Amino acid sequence: ADVTRLHVHFLGGYEDNTPWTFDGINGIMNFVSRVWSLQDIIKGEEVSREHIYDLNRTIKKVGEDLEDLKLNTAISSLMIFLKKVKEDGFITKEELRQFLILLNPIAPHITEELNEMLNLGKAFYESEFPKYDENKIVEDTVNIACSINGKLRATFVTKLDTSKEELLLLAKEQENVKKYLEGHEIIKEIVVPNKIVNIVIK
């Protein structure tokens, strides 16, 4: 029943004139199987540092999509979060509980069954919809690209909104950047906060 519900809603938007087709139903069956297998990779209790941003973004997107009856994009967001969790190889109990509550309006049977089996809390139809933290929607770190004469030479991770001066210093500390700067004159330094440092040499 859940596979059918998910398949119908994934075919298109609520108001779209979408013809019935079995195309893609195997993908939905695989999705439901992967949801079921989450019970095998539970590790830890509270929301993890690795998943906190992805989970909050998913809560926000699914909540907005359900209100707007955009069930196909809500399902897509849940699939993206599931893929992330599977790649990481674990999900905590609290992450699973919130994920299943998000999925519950579209797939009530498998979600309530997992909730009862794993003793995650009270029945989902009696539970509050998860709330997202606005401060956890955007990552607090960014990847910075370091280029010399427009060619990428290194990348590094730093805090969001690091100053231009500090970004430049961090870029020059990268081993591969040091190597290319050695023996050359710096003509220009271009820093785009949260994105790139480009050094022009001759």
Side-chain angles (χ1 to χ4, degrees):
D2 285 337
V3 169
T4 303
R5 288 165 63 96
L6 284 160
H7 178 59
V8 168
H9 291 310
F10 198 57
L11 285 173
Y14 186 75
E15 296 181 350
D16 294 342
N17 184 17
T18 308
W20 168 260
T21 174
F22 280 106
D23 292 346
I25 199 166
N26 288 337
I28 294 295
M29 289 178 65
N30 181 54
F31 171 68
V32 172
S33 295
R34 285 160 63 84
V35 170
W36 183 257
S37 68
L38 286 173
Q39 61 188 296
D40 299 325
I41 59 170
I42 296 173
K43 185 179 77 174
E45 297 291 331
E46 299 304 317
V47 176
S48 66
R49 179 180 56 81
E50 291 88 344
H51 298 154
I52 192 166
Y53 292 100
D54 296 277
L55 181 60
N56 275 273
R57 283 193 291 263
T58 304
I59 292 170
K60 182 176 189 293
K61 185 73 167 67
V62 172
E64 292 171 349
D65 286 348
L66 289 178
E67 284 188 10
D68 295 336
L69 296 179
K70 296 178 179 177
L71 304 186
N72 55 330
T73 52
I75 295 167
S76 179
S77 295
L78 291 166
M79 288 176 169
I80 291 168
F81 182 75
L82 178 64
K83 183 175 184 289
K84 164 69 174 171
V85 163
K86 287 289 189 176
E87 286 174 350
D88 290 345
F90 79 95
I91 187 169
T92 69
K93 270 197 168 184
E94 182 59 22
E95 291 165 6
L96 180 56
R97 188 186 74 85
Q98 293 191 36
F99 173 79
L100 292 176
I101 292 175
L102 296 178
L103 179 59
N104 181 257
I106 315 171
H109 305 288
I110 187 175
T111 51
E112 290 290 7
E113 182 72 13
L114 281 168
N115 183 39
E116 187 174 332
M117 284 174 53
L118 302 172
N119 195 27
L120 298 174
K122 64 181 180 179
F124 291 151
Y125 68 86
E126 297 178 322
S127 301
E128 286 188 12
F129 197 81
K131 294 180 173 63
Y132 65 89
D133 183 345
E134 196 70 53
N135 295 320
K136 297 295 189 296
I137 298 298
V138 180
E139 298 266 11
D140 59 357
T141 60
V142 288
N143 284 310
I144 303 295
C146 307
S147 297
I148 296 178
N149 290 350
K151 291 185 179 180
L152 182 65
R153 299 302 181 189
T155 61
F156 65 90
V157 177
T158 188
K159 288 182 180 179
L160 190 70
D161 296 329
T162 297
S163 69
K164 288 185 176 183
E165 293 77 15
E166 192 173 349
L167 285 175
L168 193 57
L169 288 173
L170 289 168
K172 290 178 179 179
E173 288 174 2
Q174 305 305 309
E175 286 301 322
N176 207 34
V177 173
K178 280 183 184 178
K179 181 178 74 174
Y180 280 96
L181 291 182
E182 192 174 341
H184 291 87
E185 180 186 349
I186 295 176
I187 304 299
K188 193 173 185 181
E189 297 169 335
I190 303 163
V191 180
V192 180
N194 300 324
K195 288 187 178 181
I196 191 170
V197 174
N198 185 35
I199 302 171
V200 181
I201 62 174
K202 73 172 183 178

